Structures are given as structure tokens and as C-alpha cells.
Amino acid sequence: MGKKEVVRFKRVLHVRTVERDITRSELAEQVAEEGAILGRINDTENMRDDAVASFCVPSGGAVSPQELWFARQSIDMMERKLADDRQELEVCRDKIEETKAELLTRHQNVQLMSRYVGRLVEKADKASLDAEQKNLDDIASMRFKRDARQGGASA
């Protein structure tokens, strides 16, 4: 276990972090899309309510059957658009839930990998310190032996 392994797992951690960030941005886009769909639904509902109100309120003059038919067709078209938008909203919300679950999984993977890399770094640092301490001990031992030989020779 060395520095190469730490570097390799740091690359894996980086890839997983990037994947998590991409998923996070996908979720943000989906939430924005949901807001846009809700806005369209609200606008269409308001238009439909206005059309129904004007359809139901008798006008001062005579209304031809053709005008009533066109008004009713317009209301029906708005209802179909609302149904389509509500279906699209449902699909969008399903995608949001899937993306949230995927984001949670990716976040957990990043946390696990981060902890693992942290432990690898600690082990690598400890191994490096142990090797350095061993080298210092060897140097001290050699000096001690050299000094003992020189002290014994001069006595």
C-alpha cells in the first residue's frame, strides 16, 4: 500500500464526486422543468376559468350556435392541454424522485470513498513516518557504534 494506491483511489473519488455533481445539476434542471410545467398549468387553468365564465355569462345580444360551438371547442382544447400538462408533470415528478434516489446513492458512494481514501492517506503517512523513523534509528545506531569504536580505540 503506497502513494500510487492513494493516488488511484483519489482519482476514483474525484470521478464519483463529478458523477454526484452531474446528478445534482440534473435534479436542479428537473425541478426547474417542474416549475415551468406548473406555471403552464396555472396559466391554462386561469384561461380556461375565464373562458368558462364568459361562456356561462349571457351576453346582451344574441349568440349564434356557431359562436357557442367555437367557445365550447376552445374550452375543450384547454382541458386537453391541461390533461397533457398534468401527465407531463407526473412524468417529471417521477423523474425527480428517481434522480433524488440516484443522488442519494451517489452521495453515499462519495462519502464511503472519501472515508476510505482518508484511511489510505493515514496509513500511507504512518508508513512513511515509520520508514523515516527506522532510517533515523539506523543512523543513530551507526553513529553510536562508530562513537563506541572510536572511544574504545582512544582509551
Side-chain angles (χ1 to χ4, degrees), residues 52-72:
V52 168
S54 69
F55 183 78
C56 293
V57 173
S59 63
V63 178
S64 73
Q66 186 177 15
E67 289 174 325
L68 286 175
W69 185 82
F70 281 129
R72 182 64 202 159

Side-chain angles (χ1 to χ4, degrees), residues 3-148:
K3 292 183 181 192
K4 288 181 181 180
E5 188 173 356
V6 170
V7 169
R8 184 178 45 184
F9 279 101
K10 279 187 176 182
R11 280 194 305 254
V12 171
L13 174 61
H14 175 71
V15 167
R16 288 190 179 175
T17 302
V18 168
E19 288 173 342
R20 181 193 59 191
D21 293 344
I22 289 170
T23 304
R24 191 179 288 155
S25 66
E26 288 173 2
L27 179 62
E29 289 173 10
Q30 291 169 349
V31 168
E33 181 183 351
E34 177 190 33
I37 294 169
L38 285 170
R40 280 198 325 258
I41 288 173
N42 190 34
D43 291 345
T44 305
E45 284 176 342
N46 289 337
M47 287 173 37
R48 182 212 46 207
D49 292 345
D50 291 344
V52 168
S54 69
F55 183 78
C56 293
V57 173
S59 63
V63 178
S64 73
Q66 186 177 15
E67 289 174 325
L68 286 175
W69 185 82
F70 281 129
R72 182 64 202 159
Q73 288 300 311
S74 176
I75 292 171
D76 287 344
M77 186 177 68
M78 287 183 228
E79 288 292 341
R80 285 191 298 273
K81 182 171 177 0
L82 277 172
D84 291 346
D85 285 347
R86 287 185 180 122
Q87 179 65 34
E88 186 179 353
L89 179 64
E90 192 63 34
V91 168
C92 182
R93 287 183 171 162
D94 289 344
K95 285 181 186 176
I96 286 173
E97 290 306 313
E98 290 172 9
T99 305
K100 281 181 180 179
E102 182 180 348
L103 180 60
L104 179 63
T105 301
R106 290 187 188 275
H107 183 66
Q108 289 170 342
N109 287 340
V110 167
Q111 287 180 324
L112 287 171
M113 185 57 65
S114 179
R115 283 193 292 264
Y116 183 70
V117 167
R119 286 194 301 268
L120 283 178
V121 167
E122 286 175 10
K123 286 180 182 178
D125 288 348
K126 185 177 180 330
S128 175
L129 287 174
D130 288 348
E132 187 176 336
Q133 185 62 47
K134 183 182 179 309
N135 287 337
L136 290 173
D137 289 347
D138 289 346
I139 291 170
S141 174
M142 286 189 290
R143 283 186 178 167
F144 178 76
K145 289 178 183 176
R146 184 190 69 203
D147 290 346

